[in-house]
Amino acid sequence: MMAWMQASAEDGSALYKTKCAMCHGDLGQGKSAPNLAGTTKSVAAVESVLTKGGEAKMPHIKPMAGLTPAQATAIAAFVKTLK
């Protein structure tokens, strides 16, 4: 893994835990929202869902409130580390 991607994923871990884990589970296993572990979506696709919305189900129909593009990238990089 590239160093910048690893650093981004590490930062994304903390953001994921506070903004995503309550629905997607601590390990991306899914709870009240879909499983993210092993997703085939690219980092860019995950980032797009967070910053632009577009998913068919709540809460990702709209962009995630209070999330900067850099934070979305960090979360997306972390999501790609979930197995």
Side-chain angles (χ1 to χ4, degrees):
M1 183 182 303
M2 299 173 123
W4 71 268
M5 191 172 204
Q6 184 174 356
S8 186
E10 288 168 6
D11 296 341
S13 174
L15 288 165
Y16 177 90
K17 285 180 180 141
T18 61
K19 298 191 174 285
C20 311
M22 70 283 292
C23 296
H24 291 286
D26 290 339
L27 302 174
Q29 72 275 21
K31 285 176 125 181
S32 61
N35 179 348
L36 295 176
T39 184
T40 58
K41 287 186 178 194
S42 67
V43 169
V46 174
E47 180 182 2
S48 179
V49 168
L50 295 173
T51 59
K52 297 176 184 166
E55 288 291 295
K57 296 182 180 180
M58 291 296 285
H60 299 301
I61 292 171
K62 295 182 179 182
M64 192 171 216
L67 199 63
T68 69
Q71 289 172 321
T73 300
I75 291 170
F78 174 72
V79 165
K80 291 301 288 183
T81 69
L82 298 172
K83 304 284 186 226

